[in-house]
Amino acid sequence: MPIRQTLPKAFAPCILEVERKFRSLAVRQLTQHGGVPPFRSLQALRPQTIRDTYYNDKAGLLTSAGVWVRRRNGAWEAKVRKGGDFTNSQFEELREVGDIAACVERITGQGVVRAGEQVGERGQKENFGLVTMADFVTTRETWIADDEFWIVRDRMDFGHEVGEVELQKTLEGKKVGEAPSEEEKRAEMQRMDERITEFMKRYEWAFAEGKPVGKLTAYFKMMGRTPSGSSEAR
């Protein structure tokens, strides 16, 4: 196994994610030759069961700033919106506990780590000082189309369904040891978004018309309450 070079944390590549949501599939089951033109290739992955717990600060500053912190099947994640809107979203994804803690502190002003403490242990123990705003289970079906486009259909345990087409890319800086700039991130995400648009137009037979409703929006409607901040999230 080759030895991977570990970059300084400040210069680590970032994970960019661009997605376009759709209300539901227009076909009962997605297959390679289910419409015209057919997918160039289509690989069905094994269905997943996902337990998501979403967190927010009491004032709703995180979601208002376009940041969604969640614990998915026990692993912490944070989505930081970089552009687009609910249906057409562009995110930078944070997976390191230390990065999530720093993001929470920057937006809310509440420190979650004291000097000398282990950020991973403290962050997980105290949930970064955040409170639970939603908790539900999703059954996810996933296909990889044309070798790189991820098509996802999510069905939540409270009866809601929504899907998305997604591209993800790990972006490094132009120079070795240099983090990608915000301008580089925006330019790359714009290219990714254009490619998704072309993909969905080419295979429009696969996607039902109509406005998609996000998981959290549907969840809070079901619960009969409105969260602080924005509820539109992936």
Side-chain angles (χ1 to χ4, degrees):
M1 178 181 296
I3 299 176
R4 295 182 60 185
Q5 180 182 7
T6 302
L7 296 175
K9 193 169 187 61
F11 301 140
C14 65
I15 301 173
L16 302 180
E17 182 179 288
V18 177
E19 60 192 42
R20 278 186 177 267
K21 294 180 176 62
F22 56 87
R23 183 176 61 82
S24 63
L25 290 175
V27 292
R28 184 171 183 179
Q29 188 63 33
L30 202 60
T31 61
Q32 182 176 355
H33 299 281
V36 179
F39 292 110
R40 297 185 179 95
S41 66
L42 188 72
Q43 176 188 0
L45 303 185
R46 181 175 297 180
Q48 296 175 280
T49 299
I50 301 171
R51 173 73 177 271
D52 278 326
T53 305
Y54 284 85
Y55 297 85
N56 204 1
D57 59 293
K58 293 181 179 179
L61 297 176
L62 286 174
T63 51
S64 293
V67 176
W68 288 270
V69 176
R70 69 184 175 205
R71 200 166 190 176
R72 169 164 286 184
N73 289 346
W76 286 102
E77 299 177 352
K79 298 271 189 183
V80 182
R81 187 182 295 281
K82 292 295 184 178
D85 52 26
F86 162 68
T87 301
N88 170 23
S89 304
Q90 300 172 4
F91 292 101
E92 181 174 353
E93 186 170 292
L94 306 180
R95 296 178 181 174
E96 296 292 333
V97 172
D99 293 338
I100 297 171
C103 180
V104 170
E105 182 169 356
R106 183 174 66 253
I107 294 172
T108 67
Q110 58 188 42
V112 296
V113 182
R114 299 191 185 97
E117 290 183 319
Q118 294 295 319
V119 63
E121 294 178 4
R122 182 173 175 82
Q124 294 188 44
K125 182 179 179 181
E126 300 191 8
N127 298 333
F128 308 106
L130 306 176
V131 295
T132 301
M133 68 173 182
D135 184 77
F136 50 83
V137 175
T138 300
T139 299
R140 168 167 290 184
E141 296 175 273
T142 305
W143 299 265
I144 303 176
D146 296 357
D147 296 325
E148 58 179 332
F149 295 89
W150 290 64
I151 302 173
V152 170
R153 174 167 62 184
D154 284 343
R155 291 169 168 163
M156 277 57 74
D157 58 359
F158 54 89
H160 184 60
E161 178 179 333
V162 69
E164 68 187 28
V165 177
E166 175 186 314
L167 275 177
Q168 191 175 97
K169 183 171 183 176
T170 300
L171 186 67
E172 299 183 11
K174 292 182 178 180
K175 298 180 181 178
V176 177
E178 182 180 89
S181 67
E182 290 301 313
E183 183 178 354
E184 289 171 331
K185 294 177 186 178
R186 286 193 297 270
E188 185 58 42
M189 287 189 290
Q190 181 61 36
R191 287 190 288 268
M192 293 164 70
D193 179 65
E194 290 170 356
R195 296 189 63 219
I196 292 177
T197 299
E198 293 172 358
F199 174 86
M200 295 187 73
K201 184 176 181 179
R202 176 180 175 84
Y203 303 116
E204 60 184 357
W205 57 264
F207 309 107
E209 296 181 356
K211 184 179 179 179
V213 177
K215 297 177 184 179
L216 290 180
T217 298
Y219 176 86
F220 288 116
K221 182 178 180 180
M222 180 270 298
M223 295 292 289
R225 61 188 177 90
T226 302
S228 54
S230 171
S231 63
E232 298 289 11
R234 174 176 180 269

